[in-house]
Amino acid sequence: MSVGHQDGSPPPSSSPCSSGAPISNYYPIGHDLKHPDDRYRLEHDRSSFESQGVLSPLLPGSPHATALRSNSIEMQDSGISSLENEREAQRINRKMDLYLLPLLSLLYLFNGLDRGNIGNAQTQGFTHDIGALPDDLNLAVSLFFVTFVLFQMPSAAVGQWLGPSTWLPIMMLCWGLITTIQAFIWGKAALITTRLLIGVFEAGFYPTCIVYLGSFYSRFDLATRIGLFYGQYAIASAFSGALSYAIFQVSHAWLKPWQLLFIIEGVLTCVLGAIAWLWLPTGPRGAWFLSHSERQFVVDRVGGVEPNAAKYSSITRRDLVETLRDWKLWFVLVFNICASVPVTAFSVFLPLVVQGMGYESVEANLMSVPPAVCGAVGLYLFASSSDRHRERGWHIVGALVVALGGLVGVVGSVSNAAKYASLCVFLFGSYVPPPLTVAWLSGNTPTAGKRALVVGANGLGNLAGAIGSQLYRAEYAPGYKLPLVVTLGFVGVALTGYVAYRYTLRAVNARRAAIRKSKSAEQIEAERVDSVRHADRKWVFVYDL
């Protein structure tokens, strides 16, 4: 991160449009650097958007351009100035919530089902039936996360190139087919191969969906929608348990229960992929469920006056370089990995952990439903609060505190009933950090190409799945005491790291505010529109906290 090169800014001009007054004249009085959070709330919507060089209210221009800039300032993100525009935004949001969000959420539900159903199958002797060992399951799950992580950024780039409405259905059809084939495999090698391939095709689904949603919803409407969307990961655990319980009651002449599970879920995934191909619009400009004026409203809100803001394009070399140099991404990624260990591990091993609390194999699948539902509820409550208060960091920290308390209860309780109740509390907070982190990074990355890569790179947080799959090995069953203690350590590290990350962003905001205060209006305008620094590296950009 660089806020230097101050001497490279143009000197103050005597033009009428810029008096050379310091930047403090352009912000409300009474907010000194001792209160960077206050300054952040007052400055952020305008300055972060202007850092893209889109809004230039200090420069003269045509009446049409001036009108567009004024309109965009009023409509940008949640900073809508008029009640009428705010009501219009909420009405359009509800329309998109009805036509777009449910299908995407359903698709992600099956993404989670096909990723975690191997844990449900194992309660019915999956590895024994295919001639493999229980530890081979842990190895296969770990290797799944290798391809899942390695292909996140490339797959997200393909999604940016082809467009999400094309790439999402293709990915679903591919991994749905492999899930179906998984019902007929034999041996360790086939198990590992199918898991590697599912990892390849599932890798880009989540980041591509986030970029897609970000092209429809404004910054502080996004976390709630990501919460509802990502919540399907928790619902997948619950639904997988309930669906497995139902399927395992079925007797078939020559198919085992776990084979029926893979076939049913794989075929349904392919069907949904075909539906998505027909249903999903290419973007806001192609949203068939919106009127022309509504489409323009959405484009203006998320892209301002950029004519191509709502269209998808290829990734540029500078996008890649800036992503690799993005300190805030790599800073938070370490702690996102730590925070993701519980989610990724329990998406597969929750039925086995519950089984260790005294439940039979079939019953354990059913009893894994309430903890997963608690995770979905907790995620929605924290995400909606985060959007409402326009704050990310403390919401993530609060969720980690809840998760930490619940996990202490799981580890320290004697009775199975107390452990089970603590497990529900633990998962209530565990699902919150990953989606709020991606909303945080997305909101702090103003350019579309880099945003796609940042969201894809954030997928490295799924390395937590490789960690979790090696923690919850069969040798630690039925209590899984050591794995739970290690998970407790990961959550504690994540808690400390997110606190440090928020204070670091706050310090950067304060430093940039000091720079702006020493600059003239023309120098600030030059920083907004030049290409010396890119996107959020500009000192006119203020980070969400």
Side-chain angles (χ1 to χ4, degrees):
M1 191 263 316
S2 174
V3 293
H5 305 287
Q6 298 180 31
D7 56 344
S9 302
S13 169
S14 59
S15 66
C17 64
S18 178
S19 63
I23 186 60
S24 57
N25 290 350
Y26 291 88
Y27 295 98
I29 299 172
H31 294 274
D32 57 33
L33 296 181
K34 296 180 181 178
H35 303 284
D37 282 353
D38 292 338
R39 181 175 291 279
Y40 144 76
R41 281 190 290 269
L42 290 162
E43 297 176 355
H44 183 273
D45 280 345
R46 176 174 167 175
S47 61
S48 63
F49 191 58
E50 289 176 347
S51 72
Q52 302 174 60
V54 176
L55 298 182
S56 304
L58 300 180
L59 290 180
S62 67
H64 176 64
T66 303
L68 281 174
R69 290 167 186 150
S70 177
N71 184 52
S72 294
I73 292 172
E74 291 179 0
M75 293 170 58
Q76 167 60 19
D77 288 342
S78 298
I80 300 171
S81 59
S82 76
L83 183 60
E84 181 181 348
N85 279 341
E86 185 173 1
R87 287 173 177 168
E88 177 72 0
Q90 293 306 314
R91 186 185 65 80
I92 295 174
N93 280 348
R94 286 192 296 269
K95 209 168 183 180
M96 295 189 296
D97 291 344
L98 177 64
Y99 285 95
L100 190 65
L101 194 59
L103 178 60
L104 287 174
S105 298
L106 185 61
L107 301 184
Y108 194 56
L109 171 65
F110 274 81
N111 178 277
L113 283 178
D114 293 334
R115 187 186 313 178
N117 55 16
I118 196 170
N120 301 102
Q122 181 64 2
T123 65
Q124 294 295 301
F126 168 56
T127 53
H128 177 270
D129 291 340
I130 66 169
L133 299 174
D135 281 349
D136 293 336
L137 177 72
N138 296 82
L139 177 61
V141 172
S142 293
L143 292 176
F144 161 87
F145 283 104
V146 171
T147 52
F148 187 75
V149 168
L150 289 177
F151 282 85
Q152 289 259 322
M153 283 185 68
S155 188
V158 172
Q160 185 73 8
W161 175 54
L162 290 179
S165 62
T166 300
W167 186 228
L168 291 174
I170 290 174
M171 286 188 286
M172 288 200 73
L173 290 168
C174 289
W175 92 63
L177 179 61
I178 297 168
T179 298
T180 306
I181 294 172
Q182 197 172 228
F184 305 102
I185 62 172
W186 173 262
K188 175 182 177 180
L191 170 62
I192 291 174
T193 300
T194 54
R195 298 309 292 179
L196 286 172
L197 289 173
I198 291 175
V200 169
F201 291 112
E202 285 199 354
F205 190 83
Y206 180 67
T208 301
C209 280
I210 297 304
V211 172
Y212 189 50
L213 286 171
S215 69
F216 286 91
Y217 293 98
S218 62
R219 185 169 62 251
F220 286 110
D221 290 323
L222 188 58
T224 301
R225 275 72 189 184
I226 292 178
L228 289 168
F229 173 75
Y230 187 85
Q232 304 310 304
Y233 196 32
I235 294 297
S237 296
F239 184 61
S240 180
L243 181 60
S244 300
Y245 178 81
I247 292 174
F248 293 161
Q249 307 302 312
V250 177
S251 297
H252 193 276
W254 55 276
L255 287 176
K256 295 183 181 296
W258 60 265
Q259 289 179 301
L260 286 173
L261 180 68
F262 288 142
I263 292 170
I264 291 172
E265 293 185 357
V267 170
L268 287 175
T269 298
C270 292
V271 170
L272 283 172
I275 293 173
W277 182 280
L278 300 172
W279 185 272
L280 295 178
T282 56
R285 295 186 188 276
W288 51 268
F289 49 84
L290 298 177
S291 67
H292 176 75
S293 61
E294 289 170 340
R295 289 196 293 267
Q296 189 59 50
F297 186 95
V298 173
V299 170
D300 288 342
R301 183 177 61 172
V302 301
V305 299
E306 284 185 302
N308 296 319
K311 296 182 180 178
Y312 301 99
S313 59
S314 59
I315 305 296
T316 66
R317 182 178 179 276
R318 184 164 194 179
D319 289 330
L320 178 60
V321 171
E322 292 292 339
T323 300
L324 295 175
R325 296 174 60 193
D326 192 344
W327 65 271
K328 71 181 187 302
L329 166 64
W330 306 113
F331 188 139
V332 79
L333 180 60
V334 176
F335 307 112
N336 190 24
I337 291 173
C338 293
S340 299
V341 168
V343 177
T344 53
F346 278 74
S347 67
V348 175
F349 298 104
L350 178 59
L352 300 177
V353 173
V354 172
Q355 187 177 9
M357 295 180 180
Y359 298 98
E360 298 297 327
S361 60
V362 175
E363 188 182 18
N365 285 284
L366 185 61
M367 293 304 295
S368 66
V369 173
V373 171
C374 287
V377 171
L379 173 54
Y380 175 74
L381 292 176
F382 274 93
S384 57
S385 175
S386 176
D387 270 351
R388 189 166 59 253
H389 292 94
R390 300 190 173 196
E391 198 282 333
R392 306 300 189 208
W394 292 134
H395 283 80
I396 295 174
V397 170
L400 287 169
V401 169
V402 173
L404 196 65
L407 193 51
V408 168
V410 174
V411 173
S413 299
V414 177
S415 70
N416 285 333
K419 287 183 178 180
Y420 186 79
S422 297
L423 182 64
C424 292
V425 175
F426 168 53
L427 290 182
F428 184 87
S430 292
Y431 281 91
V432 176
L436 281 193
T437 299
V438 79
W440 202 359
L441 287 170
S442 179
N444 281 336
T445 310
T447 56
K450 182 184 174 184
R451 187 186 307 120
L453 291 178
V454 166
V455 172
N458 183 62
L460 290 170
N462 287 287
L463 284 170
I467 298 170
S469 60
Q470 291 303 312
L471 278 177
Y472 291 84
R473 302 174 69 89
E475 64 190 85
Y476 299 115
Y480 294 99
K481 184 96 173 194
L482 179 60
L484 289 169
V485 170
V486 175
T487 303
L488 182 66
F490 277 115
V491 174
V493 171
L495 176 61
T496 304
Y498 274 102
V499 171
Y501 183 65
R502 190 186 189 280
Y503 275 108
T504 301
L505 291 182
R506 179 175 172 173
V508 173
N509 284 347
R511 182 181 177 186
R512 290 180 177 184
I515 292 174
R516 290 193 300 273
K517 193 172 184 178
S518 67
K519 299 294 183 180
S520 69
E522 283 195 346
Q523 289 174 313
I524 291 169
E525 185 60 22
E527 176 70 4
R528 289 190 181 108
V529 300
D530 69 26
S531 59
V532 175
R533 281 170 288 275
H534 186 61
D536 58 293
R537 291 174 64 84
K538 292 175 178 287
W539 43 257
V540 292
F541 189 92
V542 184
Y543 288 119
D544 290 330
L545 295 184

